[in-house]
């Protein structure tokens, strides 16, 4: 599957993706979350950044 | 009757992927639900069918997961882990106290509420080195060894500047003399799933896998198994990560984690931890 990085417009090639998964852009290093648009197509959005209450 | 489960997530890590896969393999319907897209009416507490009989709450954000758990429980959905367990384990102060009260060996910990008193704890009681931890949060974040007065003063002053009032709860723990590793045990219900040694990364003193720590299988003896299971029971039972350290005086349990990350444990132990979690959820759904 091919995506465009929403941060730097770089090309991202991903094999199997599932919703909620995090990819990082090979060009700019941004952390991107896999989501679905209204039509059910996968798209990428910039992921939430680490919060103070994150982790186990 | 077929049982339906849900998985509440905000990030799909390896653990969440594996839980989804495990459900698929077992032919169990598990609905992954992105917590970031939820809107929940907390004045209408009728049962919300989309969450199924049991929800597995796996949010990376502790407070997000905690509130979702409370809401779902009030809507009549069983949650793994229950609110009582997640709230206790998400707070180091409450968790230490619970362990101590149950007679489980745990590192000596003193709490103060101002920088001045925290300094006195170190100078007059605990001595150096000691460890200061925030009562919430994790991956070893902001956990610091206090080696001497200068470090302590600098760190406590930093703490005072931090906006979050929870950082003004000074949780100061004895620095336990231990090998450069601790023992992470994943407990599912009343069963031990897997146990690993977590070695600190070469450039870090903390053993968190999230900080680059390395994992190795740990074979627990009966005494340790019993202690770990007791710790899990004391906090209320669920899917838990019980952390222990080896000291000269014996084992101490320093933490019980509620949204346990088991990537390290799974890869070295080859135990099907996600499968056990699904079975545990089904067992709860049948009750």
């Amino acid at each position: 599957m091919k995506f465009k990085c929403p941060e730097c417009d770089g090309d991202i090639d991903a094999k199997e993706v599932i919703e909620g998964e995090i990819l990082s852009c090979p060009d700019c290093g941004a952390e991107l979350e896999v989501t679905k648009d209204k039509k059910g197509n996968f798209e990428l959005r910039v992921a939430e950044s680490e919060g103070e209450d994150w982790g186990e | 009757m077929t049982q339906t489960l849900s998985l509440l997530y905000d990030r799909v890590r390896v653990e969440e992927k594996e839980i989804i896969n495990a459900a698929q393999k077992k032919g169990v319907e598990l609905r992954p639900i992105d917590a970031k897209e939820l809107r929940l009416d907390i004045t209408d507490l009728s049962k919300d069918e989309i969450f199924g009989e049991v929800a597995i709450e796996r949010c990376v954000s502790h407070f997000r997961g905690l509130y979702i758990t409370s809401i779902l429980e009030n809507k009549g959905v069983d949650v793994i882990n229950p609110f009582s367990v997640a709230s206790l384990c998400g707070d180091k102060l409450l968790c230490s106290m619970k362990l101590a009260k149950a007679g489980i060996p745990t590192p000596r910990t003193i709490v103060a509420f101002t920088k001045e008193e925290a300094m006195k704890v170190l100078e007059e009681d605990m001595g150096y080195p000691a460890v200061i931890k925030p009562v919430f949060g994790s991956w070893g974040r902001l956990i610091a060894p206090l080696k001497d007065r200068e470090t302590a003063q600098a760190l406590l002053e930093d703490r005072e500047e931090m906006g979050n009032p929870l950082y003004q709860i000074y949780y100061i723990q004895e620095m336990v003399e231990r090998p450069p590793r601790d023992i992470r045990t994943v407990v599912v219900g009343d069963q031990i799933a897997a146990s690993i040694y977590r070695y600190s990364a070469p450039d870090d003193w903390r053993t968190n896998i999230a900080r680059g720590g390395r994992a190795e299988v740990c074979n627990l003896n009966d005494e340790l198994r019993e202690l770990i299971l007791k710790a899990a029971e004391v906090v209320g039972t669920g899917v838990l990560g019980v952390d222990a350290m080896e000291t000269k005086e014996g084992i101490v349990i320093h933490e019980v984690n509620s949204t346990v990350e088991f990537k390290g444990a799974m890869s070295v132990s080859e135990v099907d931890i996600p499968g056990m979690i699904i079975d545990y959820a089904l067992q709860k759904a049948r009750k």
Side-chain angles (χ1 to χ4, degrees), chain B residues 170-201:
Chain B
Y170 299 89
Y171 171 105
I172 300 166
Q173 195 161 67
E174 67 174 315
M175 175 78 110
V176 171
E177 248 190 86
R178 57 157 169 86
R181 66 180 189 192
D182 72 354
I183 301 170
R184 152 64 56 93
T185 305
V186 180
V187 179
V188 179
D190 56 5
Q191 284 185 2
I192 286 181
S195 193
I196 54 164
Y197 289 115
R198 300 188 302 179
Y199 287 85
S200 333

Side-chain angles (χ1 to χ4, degrees), chain B residues 9 55 69 80 104 165 195 222 241 262 275:
Chain B
Y9 69 87
T69 300
I80 295 172
I104 291 171
S195 193
D222 289 346
F262 50 78

